[in-house]
Amino acid sequence: MTQIATVATQPIPGQKPGTSGLRKKTPVFMGRHYLENFVQSIFDVVGAAGKTFVLGGDGRYFNDRAAQVILRMAAANGAARVLVGQGAILSTPAASHLIRLNKTDGGIIMSASHNPGGPNEDFGVKFNMPNGGPAPEGVTEAMYKRTTEITEYKVLEAQDVDLSRVGRHRLGEMIVDVVDPVADYAALMETLFDFPAIRAMFAGGFRMRMDSMCAVTGPYAVEILENRLGAPKGTCVNAAPLPDFGGLHPDPNPTWAKALMDEMFGPSAPDFGAASDGDGDRNMVVGRGIYVSPSDSLAVLAANAHLAPGYAKGLKGVARSMPTSAAADRVADALGIGKYETPTGWKFFGNLLDAGRATICGEESFGTGSDHVREKDGLWAILLWLNILAVRRQSVAEILGEHWAKYGRNYYSRHDFEAIETAKADAMMAALRGSLAGLPGRQVEGMTIRTADDFAYTDPVDGSVSQKQGVRVLFEDGSRIVYRLSGTGTEGATLRVYLERYAPGPDGLDHDAQAALAPVIRAAHRIAAIAEHTGRSAPDVVT
Ligand code: VG1
Ligand code: CO
């Protein structure tokens, strides 16, 4: 017999959900009533009775235990059915696809994405809507508010469900369907890309390295790249998801994916390299001896997407987050299609995708995706690159070179200052916001400031307004600096400074982005008085 217990609790407000879901240190999530309070708050807001949800996570420490708790709570709250990835594993894009494919009422994804995992690292929970996309601000606000009021939660008193095998189980009145986490996603990729052409490229000797960083994309990458596309065994490395990601930061950038960078710049570099993050929604691509900045990757994918069967009819529009470089805008202008600039975070693309206004979206933080799901999708971007390489029969360097020759080059970099004392970071941003009116016309590092503002976004579909999404300083020569505080960190504050400078031709500036951006970087430090406020004169991570 199974019984529903109603457990008395007291409010434990999570921090306001940031860019994606709730993230906390794992011991916090494992603390008394913490996970339960948040999950009950989700169900209280969206309703569970009679509904069907998807559940899965990136395999990090506590993923398996949390899945059992969430299942018992879904059953106690009257859910009809939950589809769970085998082993409680689902990449974020695969979860988004399952939500859509099965027309479910949404899904719960257990992940803190690129944040490290382990008993003393990070854990996270996010809710995705029936369209497969992250819950919008109104919904996450309501969930947060609920955590401040909650007095009880419901949980079924029952044994664990065996999630190790695919098949159907019952938990009280609720059906639990354990599904293969990879199969439906891989099938979707086959509908979008020219698998025979990519297979022929591998058969012809093309070599790649795929680094899954001991996170969730390993099983997906092995099945798609090695099993279905015929890439040699061993193409995928760090392919077994581990609870602590092998001690790695599963963040696909040149700093954390250093092994991949070293190989791609070394003497025996393969033709193409790629890495993905903890939950599989982000990607870094690297050519032999050349790094592809995410903003450039978005632009190249938009310019060449028609070479893949899924996009042969062309794109409806391209959307980018505000801090992402304007490289994609130039492509949209050339194609004569819509372009959109949204705040940071994938949830802002959902309405544009649902309304059919944008087909491809991207962020400077190594996230790209399309209307095939409602999340960014790391392997999707890697496969689109492979499709383009297979059709154009050129190297990554040649493709980038031709792109810059045609559109000009947006030199771009992001500087992150991590774990700053929150009060200091807040004071710096407040002072910067206070100084905006006096900035236009000022000369800094030989450049003249044209405009300075705090980005506010009005959603063109539903009219909702999001304020204070980042300070933008634009110069007369088209250079740009953006300042914002991260919404995903769990330790102090992370200041992100986004730097951009445009050169009309490929050879207008030094080829090294940091060198090309040097005056913009100096101006960024001066305008915000970063060192004076935070004591930091150099960033911790440069991408
Ligand atoms: C970061 C990135 C943002 C991304 C978000 C979630 O947010 O900058 O572009 O959408 O992470 O990605 P923030 O607020 O820390 O700058 V993931 O892969 O963590 O779901
Ligand atoms: Co992620």
Side-chain angles (χ1 to χ4, degrees), residues 113-114 277 279 281-282:
S113 191
H114 57 285
D277 76 331
D279 61 333
D281 56 3
R282 295 202 266 141

Side-chain angles (χ1 to χ4, degrees), residues 1 4 51 62 86 119 162 244 281 343 401 418 424 429 464 505:
M1 257 305 276
I4 295 173
K51 292 196 167 172
F62 192 49
Q86 187 181 9
D162 180 5
D244 67 348
D281 56 3
E418 296 180 339
K424 292 183 178 173
M429 290 301 291
S464 60

Side-chain angles (χ1 to χ4, degrees), residues 428-489:
M428 192 208 91
M429 290 301 291
L432 181 61
R433 289 191 158 104
S435 72
L436 290 179
L439 288 180
R442 212 177 111 188
Q443 290 259 340
V444 194
E445 298 292 330
M447 306 179 300
T448 308
I449 297 174
R450 184 193 296 164
T451 56
D453 68 355
D454 196 350
F455 182 57
Y457 178 67
T458 304
D459 188 301
V461 180
D462 66 17
S464 60
V465 177
S466 302
Q467 306 278 3
K468 297 182 109 178
Q469 296 295 324
V471 168
R472 311 188 280 191
V473 179
L474 189 68
F475 295 87
E476 292 292 353
D477 70 354
S479 299
R480 186 180 74 150
I481 302 167
V482 175
Y483 305 85
R484 63 179 281 280
L485 299 182
S486 159
T488 62

Side-chain angles (χ1 to χ4, degrees), residues 161-292:
V161 180
D162 180 5
L163 301 179
S164 68
R165 279 176 301 115
V166 168
R168 177 163 283 196
H169 305 266
R170 270 189 180 274
L171 187 57
E173 301 289 301
M174 187 178 83
I175 291 170
V176 178
D177 279 322
V178 180
V179 301
D180 180 328
V182 178
D184 288 323
Y185 176 83
L188 174 64
M189 293 300 115
E190 294 218 30
T191 68
L192 298 175
F193 302 115
D194 189 344
F195 272 44
I198 303 173
R199 204 176 294 125
M201 180 170 72
F202 279 119
F206 180 90
R207 289 295 167 261
M208 87 173 272
R209 172 72 61 225
M210 170 73 208
D211 189 342
S212 289
M213 304 190 81
C214 302
V216 80
T217 58
Y220 297 85
V222 169
E223 171 62 18
I224 294 171
L225 298 173
E226 296 185 8
N227 297 349
R228 300 198 185 194
L229 291 170
K233 298 279 171 228
T235 293
C236 304
V237 295
N238 296 323
L242 299 176
D244 67 348
F245 305 127
L248 298 171
H249 250 260
D251 202 352
N253 63 42
T255 302
W256 297 116
K258 187 170 181 306
L260 176 69
M261 291 297 284
D262 288 348
E263 183 176 3
M264 294 309 297
F265 281 80
S268 50
D271 301 283
F272 184 62
S276 53
D277 76 331
D279 61 333
D281 56 3
R282 295 202 266 141
N283 72 94
M284 175 174 80
V285 295
V286 199
R288 183 185 289 130
I290 188 162
Y291 164 68
V292 184

Side-chain angles (χ1 to χ4, degrees), residues 54 124 181 225 252 320 374 378 421 427 443 462 479 509 525:
V54 166
L225 298 173
R320 63 168 173 84
R374 291 295 179 273
E421 234 175 86
Q443 290 259 340
D462 66 17
S479 299
L509 292 167
H525 280 265

